[in-house]
Amino acid sequence: YLQTLAAALAAVLALAAPTISWAQAADPGVDRSDEAPDEAASRLNEEGRVLVQQGEYYKALEKFRAALDQFPLSNAIFNVGSMLYTLKQYEQAFPYLEQTLKAPLSTEQRDIVQQHREHVLEALKHSHTVTMIRTNPPGARVTVNGKPMPFVAPVRVLIAYGAADVGLEADGFKSQTIVIKTTPEQPPAKSYAVRLEREEPYASVTLFCPSGADMFIDGEMRGFELVRTRLLAGPHMVRCGKTAKVVAFERKIAVTKGRANTFDFSKDSE
């Protein structure tokens, strides 16, 4: 039964049909140094389809995942979901089936994917529920109880009944976590919309120069000996001025957000 089901599932979609034959894909003597990412994805996807026909489902899953790492082919996305579904790893299969439904499917294809999705929800109805996570701006990376989701917001996620920590991360914005509490009698809201806050690009910095020395940061006078300030994260140039005991010198510093940035040049002399 599993072999028949898996072969059927993996053959359902032909949204990005491979342009190479299986013999070409399997030939270890073929030079693939100049292979484009989409070509590599097509080859790996085709190798996975053949493994499905051979009943090698776990190996096929590895090929389909490798194809997605190269290029987001729509049929590779579905094939990952179909293998996880066939192997009864329903919680992992769900996001791939959901993502497939965003593709331009025929009516027949959509009906089949929808059936698989509904079967997953039926199998997990006593332990999980579903909600939509939206972010402004869209595109945030999503985790559920620390587990990364394979696709970014907006995205529907499965959450186990109880309390679920949904983490949201996006470059240039503060990380946020929302807690969703649910029971079979009290399902979650249909969707949660989260406005992301821009991340403060500055970090606190403490700098020491030799006693009596004036201090310049990026060519601007900031004080003497000890300066506490806030600087943009990234590289900066600090100049400690000449004193009766030391000559003037410059030091490059790298300011990092989320850590103590203390730079002590008080004992330096050149």
Side-chain angles (χ1 to χ4, degrees), residues 74 188 208:
S74 296
F208 297 88

Side-chain angles (χ1 to χ4, degrees), residues 217-229:
I217 302 175
D218 298 330
E220 180 182 345
M221 174 70 171
R222 291 296 189 95
F224 294 86
E225 300 181 14
L226 167 63
V227 169
R228 292 187 175 93
T229 187

Side-chain angles (χ1 to χ4, degrees), residues 23-267:
Q24 291 173 312
D27 185 356
V30 174
D31 181 7
R32 301 193 181 97
S33 59
D34 296 327
E35 190 175 41
D38 58 337
E39 294 174 346
S42 292
R43 172 178 56 79
L44 290 164
N45 192 54
E46 179 63 13
E47 291 175 3
R49 287 161 62 89
V50 172
L51 287 168
V52 168
Q53 295 169 6
Q54 297 172 351
E56 298 283 357
Y57 307 135
Y58 286 100
K59 291 182 179 179
L61 178 58
E62 292 178 3
K63 291 291 185 180
F64 294 144
R65 288 191 186 280
L68 279 186
D69 288 341
Q70 291 289 331
F71 195 83
L73 294 176
S74 296
N75 59 343
I77 292 173
F78 175 72
N79 286 340
V80 170
S82 75
M83 286 298 93
L84 293 169
Y85 174 87
T86 302
L87 295 168
K88 297 184 178 182
Q89 298 179 23
Y90 296 135
E91 188 175 353
Q92 296 181 50
F94 179 81
Y96 293 94
L97 298 175
E98 276 286 322
Q99 190 71 12
T100 301
L101 289 171
K102 298 180 181 180
L105 309 176
S106 69
T107 301
E108 179 184 5
Q109 291 168 340
R110 185 169 298 278
D111 287 345
I112 292 173
V113 178
Q114 190 68 41
Q115 289 173 14
H116 300 334
R117 178 187 181 277
E118 292 174 359
H119 184 271
V120 166
L121 295 179
E122 177 67 20
L124 297 175
K125 67 180 180 180
H126 297 297
S127 59
H128 291 73
T129 186
V130 177
T131 190
M132 170 71 81
I133 304 297
R134 303 180 185 276
T135 60
N136 184 11
R141 298 178 293 276
V142 181
T143 62
V144 177
N145 292 330
K147 181 179 179 181
M149 296 295 99
F151 305 102
V152 299
V155 63
R156 282 189 176 87
V157 296
L158 276 174
I159 55 175
Y161 288 125
D165 292 335
V166 178
L168 304 168
E169 293 185 354
D171 295 340
F173 294 85
K174 295 179 181 179
S175 299
Q176 295 189 47
T177 299
I178 60 173
V179 180
I180 302 176
K181 296 181 179 180
T182 62
T183 67
E185 296 75 26
Q186 294 182 320
K190 290 184 178 181
S191 68
Y192 293 82
V194 180
R195 181 180 293 277
L196 302 178
E197 299 179 25
R198 288 201 173 275
E199 190 173 40
E200 172 63 59
Y202 292 87
S204 297
V205 181
T206 302
L207 301 112
F208 297 88
C209 278
S211 178
D214 51 18
M215 189 185 305
F216 288 76
I217 302 175
D218 298 330
E220 180 182 345
M221 174 70 171
R222 291 296 189 95
F224 294 86
E225 300 181 14
L226 167 63
V227 169
R228 292 187 175 93
T229 187
R230 292 177 65 78
L231 297 175
L232 281 170
H236 295 273
M237 180 66 74
V238 176
R239 181 182 186 278
C240 294
K242 179 180 178 180
T243 71
K245 294 184 178 180
V246 299
V247 299
F249 58 86
E250 292 184 337
R251 296 290 184 267
K252 292 181 179 180
I253 63 172
V255 175
T256 306
K257 291 179 292 185
R259 55 162 290 183
N261 291 275
T262 300
F263 304 92
D264 187 354
F265 305 125
S266 60
K267 305 301 183 183

